[in-house]
Amino acid sequence: MYPTTTAKRGDVTTSIAVIGATGTIGSRVIARLRGRDVTVVQIARTYGIDVITGTGLSQALEGVDIAIDVSAPMPADDYLAITDTLTAASRNIVGACASQGVQRLVVLTIAGADKAVFDSFPYYVAKRAAEDVVLSSPVPATIVKSTHCHEFATNRAVVTCNEHQVVVQDWLIQPIAADSVADVLVEAALGQTHTPRTITGPHGIRLPLFTAKLLALQGDYRRVRAVPPDLEELATGALLAPDHAVVIGPDVETWLHAPAPTGTPSSTSAGGGFWTTRATKHARSFTPLTPRN
């Protein structure tokens, strides 16, 4: 059974479902919604709900007014099927929302994924296709496009390691705090506008430098070695935010040295492509990078 949290004011209670509730972004959205006068429904595989197959999804959305989708489904073993996987999940989500009368769907996606330079980048092509499914559905939707979160600094897709060094693909990113993304998603869900919005952090930074700064705060002084990314444009600024993006702090240095805000989950699932985070006494930190067996 999926968990729900209810807060009621007067005779009206809005019900909001968070799809991908146990991930880095989803857990933060849940924490913020718990402080509002809403009923919160948590949807995740942890609770027996699978967006790829649709198992349990429609039942979980029964009585829900607004859904926030921060899920990031991935195929079980065949990366080449990524477009089929993401579009199937989106069709299941919008279909379940439509059948249950959900009034609005807020979806998080990646800023810049629609650029032509990523036409041969499978994951971004799949994200485009999934967004098209959402926008062509009868369910009113708000798309929130965000640059990568700070947690991307130790993402296993671009960062590998052994006992002596950490190898990082040399992406140029403009990261934003996961807490800031969660704030925007909650605002979009509770607001009345369906206008798409693009958000980003204040400054660009090369991923190897960001990873090295983070590891140093953990007392991990292994050599960080930059390697070319799979796609050249990832190193030359294709992922930097467009001019119309809304810039939201904190910047990297402030975020690295600030204590985690009250209510931030101390441990979250690494699902959705973001690495698990936890707060230390003095600063934010990630689960230490350890070599894979």
Side-chain angles (χ1 to χ4, degrees):
M1 180 66 181
Y2 40 90
T4 61
T5 303
T6 302
K8 190 170 183 178
R9 179 176 58 192
D11 297 324
V12 179
T13 302
T14 299
S15 178
I16 300 180
V18 180
I19 304 170
T22 58
T24 299
I25 302 295
S27 57
R28 286 164 167 77
V29 171
I30 293 291
R32 282 154 177 76
L33 289 174
R34 282 176 174 158
R36 305 293 186 107
D37 292 310
V38 299
T39 294
V40 182
V41 179
Q42 300 185 47
I43 295 178
R45 281 185 298 176
T46 303
Y47 309 124
I49 306 166
D50 192 325
V51 296
I52 299 174
T53 64
T55 301
L57 186 56
S58 183
Q59 296 92 322
L61 289 171
E62 184 176 356
V64 166
D65 300 302
I66 302 165
I68 302 174
D69 178 20
V70 293
S71 64
M74 294 293 289
D77 48 25
D78 185 5
Y79 190 76
L80 295 177
I82 184 65
T83 296
D84 292 340
T85 299
L86 266 63
T87 54
S90 290
R91 281 193 294 270
N92 288 332
I93 290 169
V94 297
C97 286
S99 68
Q100 294 293 354
V102 173
Q103 299 169 19
R104 185 161 8 118
L105 174 63
V106 178
V107 178
L108 178 65
T109 191
I110 301 171
D114 54 352
K115 292 182 179 179
V117 296
F118 296 124
D119 285 351
S120 61
F121 200 65
Y123 185 68
Y124 287 6
V125 171
K127 293 294 285 185
R128 296 178 196 170
E131 182 179 335
D132 288 342
V133 170
V134 172
L135 292 177
S136 63
S137 82
V139 181
T142 298
I143 304 295
V144 176
K145 299 185 178 186
S146 173
T147 54
H148 287 85
C149 290
H150 292 137
E151 286 74 7
F152 193 68
T154 49
N155 190 297
R156 292 285 190 183
V158 291
V159 182
T160 59
C161 66
N162 58 36
E163 294 180 358
H164 306 291
Q165 67 176 355
V166 176
V167 180
V168 185
Q169 291 190 29
D170 190 20
W171 292 28
L172 177 58
I173 63 173
Q174 191 169 343
I176 184 172
D179 293 297
S180 299
V181 176
D183 287 337
V184 171
L185 290 167
V186 170
E187 174 191 335
L190 296 177
Q192 298 302 313
T193 177
H194 299 161
T195 304
R197 59 198 71 188
T198 301
I199 57 176
T200 186
H203 307 298
I205 187 171
R206 305 211 76 87
L207 188 58
L209 175 60
F210 189 8
T211 302
K213 287 176 176 287
L214 181 62
L215 295 178
L217 282 177
Q218 294 179 321
D220 185 339
Y221 295 101
R222 279 176 293 179
R223 176 194 175 203
V224 174
R225 180 167 65 90
V227 295
D230 295 333
L231 185 69
E232 179 182 357
E233 286 80 4
L234 292 168
T236 58
L239 284 176
L240 296 178
D243 291 340
H244 66 270
V246 177
V247 177
I248 306 174
D251 61 21
V252 167
E253 291 297 332
T254 302
W255 180 85
L256 282 171
H257 294 91
T262 302
T264 297
S266 59
S267 179
T268 61
S269 165
F274 296 101
W275 197 244
T276 306
T277 65
R278 58 184 171 84
T280 63
K281 181 177 180 181
H282 300 294
R284 300 174 189 274
S285 180
F286 292 80
T287 300
L289 279 170
T290 55
R292 287 182 171 176
N293 293 330

